[in-house]
């Protein structure tokens, strides 16, 4: 199972879940980094924060999606930024229609040859 931690308050208080395991991003391949959520009730927040730290020498190669437990896909980055390095930042997503419990995944696809990297860490707060 992935290395993840839960923080924040209990009950209906927002909590942050983090996967800090490194996941290699190979050329022309897709990798997924999972976070398992259990013991929660209800749905995500209308403004759920997703933080990503992806180290890669050509971020224009990358498509980055959050995949909800039901398979819904939320795009975070779509092959923009050209030859700049790394994707480090956050997005606020409306996850109010998504059940909290289940396996959430950060999916990264590298569409080109020549540059590789890794998912350093990512987290979701709801």
């Amino acid at each position: 199972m992935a290395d993840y931690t839960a923080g924040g308050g209990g009950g209906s208080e927002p909590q942050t879940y983090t996967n800090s395991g490194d996941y290699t991003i190979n050329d022309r391949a897709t990798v997924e980094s999972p976070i398992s959520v259990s013991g929660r009730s209800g749905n995500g927040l209308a403004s759920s924060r997703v933080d990503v730290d992806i180290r890669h020498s050509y971020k224009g190669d990358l498509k980055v999606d959050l995949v909800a437990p039901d398979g819904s896909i939320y795009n975070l980055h779509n092959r923009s930024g050209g030859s700049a390095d790394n994707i480090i930042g956050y997005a606020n997503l409306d996850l109010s229609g998504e059940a909290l419990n289940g396996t959430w995944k950060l999916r990264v696809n590298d569409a080109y040859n020549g540059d590789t990297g890794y998912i350093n860490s990512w987290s979701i707060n709801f």
Side-chain angles (χ1 to χ4, degrees):
M1 186 50 71
D3 172 30
Y4 65 90
T5 57
S12 62
E13 296 278 327
Q15 295 184 40
T16 299
Y17 299 85
T18 301
N19 185 329
S20 57
D22 291 349
Y23 290 79
T24 301
I25 304 167
N26 293 314
D27 283 333
R28 303 185 65 76
T30 300
V31 64
E32 293 181 339
S33 172
I35 291 176
S36 294
V37 176
S38 62
R40 300 285 305 272
S41 61
N43 290 355
L45 303 173
S47 183
S48 296
R49 182 172 166 142
V50 178
D51 287 271
V52 298
D53 181 347
I54 299 171
R55 307 301 170 103
H56 194 276
S57 56
Y58 201 99
K59 71 181 185 179
D61 288 359
L62 303 179
K63 181 179 179 195
V64 181
D65 295 313
L66 174 69
V67 183
D70 70 356
S72 297
I73 296 173
Y74 298 85
N75 184 255
L76 302 173
H77 177 88
N78 195 4
R79 306 195 202 296
S80 62
S83 64
D85 293 347
N86 306 328
I87 301 171
I88 300 171
Y90 70 92
N92 289 310
L93 302 175
D94 182 355
L95 301 179
S96 60
E98 301 290 345
L100 293 172
N101 290 331
T103 302
W104 294 80
K105 300 173 193 167
L106 187 70
R107 177 184 293 161
V108 179
N109 172 262
D110 184 332
Y112 301 99
N113 290 322
D115 292 276
T116 59
Y118 61 97
I119 301 170
N120 188 47
S121 67
W122 74 283
S123 64
I124 187 168
N125 177 278
F126 43 46

